[in-house]
Amino acid sequence: GAVVSQHPSWVICKSGTSVKIECRSLDFQATTMFWYRQFPKQSLMLMATSNEGSKATYEQGVEKDKFLINHASLTLSTLTVTSAHPEDSSFYICSCRAQSYEQYFGPGTRLTVT
Amino acid sequence: DQQVKQNSPSLSVQEGRISILNCDYTNSMFDYFLWYKKYPAEGPTFLISISSIKDKNEDGRFTVFLNKSAKHLSLHIVPSQPGDSAVYFCAGGGTGGATNKLIFGTGTLLAVQP
């Protein structure tokens, strides 16, 4: 149980385009989903927290107009990187939490902006 | 302010021996702690958690100890196996308010030598 998927697993896009990343909880309903970003050899940085049907709460320093988060259902959240630039290249990971406090992570999405 | 600290960036252990990974925290509002294992370019895998009202939780080869007075927790892996080689993150979280999210440490790279 507690399986989380992400799609795509990797994506290359041109500067100025937008990229959408999907996060799905496959065998449980996630009341809360989180989006993280990880730079090489660094820890996970929380970008935003989203509850189903509500607006996401963004961490300080994260541009909400650039990183659009939609949590349309209890099993799906999407992160859209708008007008991507090379500095947005990173490893993006989502996590899902049900009723307990444990979070289960997706496999991550490697974004490369050229 | 680094609320969760893993002061050892790396640890090397012989196969079959005990691995002890340490974590210190400063936020006394954490209600629970979790340990994750992470391979490069993958999402973290949940290992074990502990509520702040407990001082020990055991699951198979993994045991987590919590010393609240010292604001210290540790993950014991015994016996260590080569497949345990990965980066281990500890994280603290709360059940409400500003702490309703995980705060991660910087990780410890465990290398189990055959």
Side-chain angles (χ1 to χ4, degrees), chain A residues 58-69:
Chain A
Y58 290 81
E59 295 298 300
Q60 191 172 13
V62 178
E63 298 177 57
K64 62 180 181 181
D65 294 329
K66 180 167 187 62
F67 298 99
L68 301 179
I69 292 172

Side-chain angles (χ1 to χ4, degrees), chain A residues 4-6 8 21-23 33-39 42-48 69 79 90-96 103-111, chain B residues 36 38-45 89 104:
Chain A
V4 178
S5 71
Q6 272 183 250
I21 303 170
E22 290 187 350
C23 176
M33 289 187 174
F34 304 84
W35 285 96
Y36 294 83
R37 178 173 183 176
Q38 185 182 30
F39 293 101
Q42 292 189 27
S43 186
L44 297 164
M45 184 194 82
L46 178 65
M47 298 174 66
I69 292 172
L79 167 68
S90 191
F91 192 57
Y92 293 87
I93 313 174
C94 71
S95 72
C96 303
Q103 286 186 31
Y104 297 92
F105 286 81
T109 297
R110 168 71 58 191
L111 170 63
Chain B
Y36 289 88
K38 187 180 184 300
Y39 296 112
E42 292 186 14
T45 301
F89 289 96
F104 282 86

